[in-house]
Amino acid sequence: MKLLKDRILTEAKVMPGNILNVGSFLNQQVDIGLFNEIGKEFARRFVGKKVTRILTIEASGIGIACITAQYFNNVPVVFARKHRAKNIAGNVYSVGVTSFTMGVDYSVIVSKDYLRPEDSVLLIDDFLANGHALEGLAILTRNAGATLIGAGVVIEKGFQSGGSRLRDKNILIESLAVIESMSPEQGIRFRES
Ligand code: G4P
């Protein structure tokens, strides 16, 4: 998606630890015009697929998912919460996730009321790095007995393992910008689509 790649090239900063800072338009501050184009592009890439729920994870996925839902007939957006405690009880689906990017273990939790066996679920998130957050959402979807349509990702760090691991599990992933390599010295290179 050229508009997105241009924004990354002009505004993103490569930080220590292979972190891409896109706070000016995707994370701390969000560009709603760009989000609308992102939502339209996800709709184009998943055209013809029946989607009844968009599932994301707090925090940065929520805004993108909400704007995107407007291009999927205003389907409900469900967001999974992250809790450090592992012993969650009650009427929820829960799966443990280890984040290498964040260096923490957490549980990804969603209410059983909002994810049902008859649902067709599209996952949406801002980044795909090692992929454990998205994998957690895929497991929750499976545990609910729902159908996983695929995942829409804004920025995939193609040099990390998440994308290939999830595609090997037959999850359809559409990433709007795939970074092949990045460094403060060499800058950012995208994978050709
Ligand atoms: P992991 O397996 O190492 O945890 O990687 P994963 O792909 O699941 O990404 C974990 C979290 O780290 C995600 O946040 C993702 O947005 C964030 N992240 C990964 N790489 C980068 C990066 O280069 N830049 C930025 N800005 N974020 C990155 P999340 O679980 O969706 O939570 P939140 O950050 O939205 O609260």
Side-chain angles (χ1 to χ4, degrees), residues 18-22 27 57-61 82 97-102 106 125-134 157 160 165 182:
N18 265 337
I19 294 294
L20 190 69
N21 184 325
V22 284
N27 296 136
I57 183 164
E58 63 175 348
S60 299
K82 295 176 192 166
V97 167
T98 299
S99 169
F100 293 103
T101 303
M102 305 297 184
Y106 57 92
D125 209 358
D126 57 342
F127 270 91
L128 171 55
N130 295 302
H132 293 101
L134 266 187
K157 291 153 79 184
Q160 291 185 240
R165 201 180 69 256
M182 64 183 201

Side-chain angles (χ1 to χ4, degrees), residues 15-190:
M15 310 297 282
N18 265 337
I19 294 294
L20 190 69
N21 184 325
V22 284
S24 65
F25 61 91
L26 193 65
N27 296 136
Q28 291 98 313
Q29 170 173 272
V30 302
D31 180 330
I32 298 300
L34 177 65
F35 275 30
N36 272 298
E37 295 307 316
I38 285 170
K40 284 182 208 168
E41 182 63 17
F42 282 139
R44 198 181 66 75
R45 298 212 187 183
F46 289 97
V47 70
K49 309 269 189 203
K50 179 182 162 221
V51 172
T52 66
R53 286 280 186 287
I54 289 179
L55 177 63
T56 188
I57 183 164
E58 63 175 348
S60 299
I62 297 173
I64 302 158
C66 288
I67 300 264
T68 297
Q70 298 178 104
Y71 300 96
F72 285 83
N73 294 317
N74 294 326
V75 293
V77 172
V78 178
F79 63 92
R81 291 186 168 274
K82 295 176 192 166
H83 286 263
R84 280 178 187 251
K86 289 269 169 92
N87 56 342
I88 307 287
N91 204 26
V92 295
Y93 298 109
S94 167
V95 61
V97 167
T98 299
S99 169
F100 293 103
T101 303
M102 305 297 184
V104 291
D105 290 339
Y106 57 92
S107 295
V108 177
I109 299 157
V110 76
S111 167
K112 289 185 178 175
D113 292 339
Y114 306 132
L115 208 52
R116 301 160 313 181
E118 61 270 29
D119 277 321
S120 298
V121 177
L122 174 66
L123 309 180
I124 293 285
D125 209 358
D126 57 342
F127 270 91
L128 171 55
N130 295 302
H132 293 101
L134 266 187
E135 193 169 11
L137 296 181
I139 292 169
L140 287 187
T141 303
R142 193 182 65 211
N143 289 351
T147 302
L148 181 60
I149 299 298
V153 169
V154 180
I155 301 175
E156 177 176 342
K157 291 153 79 184
F159 53 88
Q160 291 185 240
S161 62
S164 49
R165 201 180 69 256
L166 296 181
R167 289 184 180 96
D168 284 349
K169 292 176 189 272
N170 282 328
I171 298 176
L172 172 62
I173 298 178
E174 289 286 350
S175 300
L176 305 188
V178 181
I179 297 179
E180 187 64 46
S181 65
M182 64 183 201
S183 70
E185 302 77 26
Q186 311 281 323
I188 296 166
R189 257 194 339 110
F190 294 106

